[in-house]
Amino acid sequence: IDEGSPERNIERVDAALRHCEPADLIVLPELWSTGYAHERWRELATSSAVRVRETMAAWSAACGAAVAGSVVEVDPDGSLRDRMLFAAGGAMATYDKAHLIPAMREPEFFTAGSTLTHVEVGESKWGLAICFDLRFPAMFRTYAQADRAGVIISSEWPSARADHLRTLCRARAIENQMFVIMCNCVGRGADGTDFGGGSLVVAPDGAILLEMDDAEGVSVVDIDPGAAARLRGTFPVLSLENAAIDGARAGRD
């Protein structure tokens, strides 16, 4: 990511997608159009929001795929949002990051979201999340209880905590029997923060189907979204948990 340069970042993604194999879903990192250009976020969101939205919609149409990635946008009330855009079929769904990380100064600039977003990729249903959300398991459980096949995560996670990123992606997949598709940023921010990549696709049983390194690039992996429902049927962790909770409530009453 070139911090503070939406046009250069658009050019970089555009060049990468020209050589990409056909896919149903394309995932970009968190704040892919601006990076952590904190002091310029409002200016860049105001000047580039329409261009970024139109570009993601154009990529979706050209590739015949859903395109997801987090950007900075300003709401009509003036609040600044870390917003995941999901362009598919000529429509645009959005999710505002619910958990803002103090270590990256996000609460100083952004207003947190409070609503989960459900989207469709083909015939399968998915949830959306952004980076630091990964540390909050209740959010992912809510998606699992709504029978989502998985969660799509746009991330800008520092390499200093790369082990946490990998561990949490697998944990969220295993405990919820769902896919986790996570695209993480690569490179060094203007403040010196290193972002180590390590983008992952994790299966509902915890198997790693794709793991990228710390170099910028594009990878494609085939998945079967129905695997989540089948695993929940043969190894019903979620339903057993609900039964235990109901039993505990009955005993307390």
Side-chain angles (χ1 to χ4, degrees), residues 158-177:
S159 57
R161 294 181 288 279
D163 286 347
H164 293 192
L165 178 62
R166 192 176 192 272
T167 299
L168 290 169
C169 281
R170 292 198 71 206
R172 298 295 89 88
I174 293 168
E175 68 195 5
N176 294 297
Q177 299 179 304

Side-chain angles (χ1 to χ4, degrees), residues 18-98:
R18 286 196 208 109
H19 306 289
C20 184
E21 298 175 39
D24 297 311
L25 171 67
I26 297 166
V27 186
L28 305 175
E30 180 183 14
L31 301 173
W32 69 265
S33 63
T34 62
Y36 271 94
H38 299 80
E39 307 299 336
R40 296 188 61 208
W41 271 338
R42 185 169 295 276
E43 166 208 339
L44 294 170
T46 301
S47 63
S48 67
V50 173
R51 167 85 164 120
V52 167
R53 280 188 171 237
E54 290 178 346
T55 299
M56 290 183 68
W59 287 333
S60 175
C63 298
V67 178
S70 143
V71 301
V72 180
E73 289 198 336
V74 182
D75 272 355
D77 65 2
S79 61
L80 202 63
R81 303 283 184 158
D82 183 347
R83 177 165 289 159
M84 193 166 181
L85 304 181
F86 181 90
M92 185 80 71
T94 65
Y95 162 73
D96 292 343
K97 189 174 186 178

Side-chain angles (χ1 to χ4, degrees), residues 118-163:
H118 302 258
V119 298
E120 294 184 6
V121 179
E123 297 182 356
S124 58
K125 300 182 187 301
W126 297 75
L128 301 180
I130 300 174
C131 200
F132 194 51
D133 287 333
L134 192 58
R135 291 188 180 274
F136 299 85
M139 175 177 173
F140 289 78
R141 189 59 118 212
T142 299
Y143 280 133
Q145 290 171 335
D147 293 325
R148 305 300 87 160
V151 178
I152 301 161
I153 306 172
S154 187
S155 183
E156 192 161 4
W157 194 286
S159 57
R161 294 181 288 279
D163 286 347

Side-chain angles (χ1 to χ4, degrees), residues 190-208:
D191 65 353
T193 302
D194 286 314
F195 300 99
S199 297
L200 288 168
V201 176
V202 187
D205 62 358
I208 294 177

